Amino acid sequence: MRKITKSDEEWKKELDPKLYHIAFEKGTEAPFSKTLTPSKDGIHRCSVCGNELFSAKAKFESGTGWPSFYEPIKPDAVEYAEDRSLGMVRTEITCGKCGAHLGHVFDDGPKPTGKRYCINCVSLGLEKK
Ligand SMILES: [Zn+2]
């Protein structure tokens, strides 16, 4: 997969300020932002570059207030990095294509993977089939 590499300045010019903050300054939106239309169908793409990230079928109601998925659409759709901010050790998820920060993954998700991919609404666009 070809990676997109742009400077922070270039992204800043192209993106909505809120999206830039979350994607490249690793911000976290307030829970229950609900900018994402609930749907059981379709594909959620990266808001920055359009990379396919999650199938709506892998979405579940976690009660956290952020969109939650139990698996990415493809193993290489996202990348993982250790995040030691806020005094915790968490696994950060970034877009496999453009490197935008998406959210974190936790080990308390449902079957079949047991994973909970907790994603900022603003990082995801929905494409209906
Ligand atoms: Zn992306």
Side-chain angles (χ1 to χ4, degrees):
M1 194 182 290
R2 195 195 304 176
K3 298 254 180 176
I4 299 174
T5 46
K6 287 192 192 183
S7 70
D8 284 356
E9 277 307 307
E10 285 175 287
W11 282 126
K12 209 165 192 167
K13 269 183 232 161
E14 283 177 31
L15 301 175
D16 175 80
K18 190 181 170 195
L19 177 57
Y20 178 84
H21 172 65
I22 289 181
F24 295 104
E25 298 174 336
K26 302 189 192 302
T28 300
E29 71 188 358
F32 302 102
S33 297
K34 300 235 177 187
T35 54
L36 211 58
T37 326
S39 174
K40 279 280 162 202
D41 232 14
I43 290 169
H44 292 288
R45 291 176 179 270
C46 173
S47 295
V48 175
C49 73
N51 187 28
E52 292 184 359
L53 297 174
F54 296 97
S55 165
K57 289 188 177 67
K59 198 169 171 194
F60 67 97
E61 190 45 67
S62 64
T64 59
W66 289 281
S68 301
F69 302 86
Y70 58 76
E71 66 181 0
I73 200 159
K74 286 182 296 195
D76 65 355
V78 298
E79 288 188 342
Y80 304 90
E82 190 179 83
D83 175 6
R84 290 182 170 270
S85 63
L86 306 176
M88 295 181 271
V89 182
R90 296 178 295 171
T91 305
E92 180 195 357
I93 321 160
T94 55
C95 172
K97 202 167 178 183
C98 71
H101 172 77
L102 301 171
H104 291 88
V105 61
F106 302 93
D107 289 324
D108 57 3
K111 288 178 179 177
T113 62
K115 300 285 183 193
R116 173 167 60 90
Y117 290 77
C118 187
I119 310 295
N120 291 297
C121 284
V122 74
S123 305
L124 294 175
L126 176 67
E127 177 183 292
K128 291 204 172 130
K129 274 185 184 159

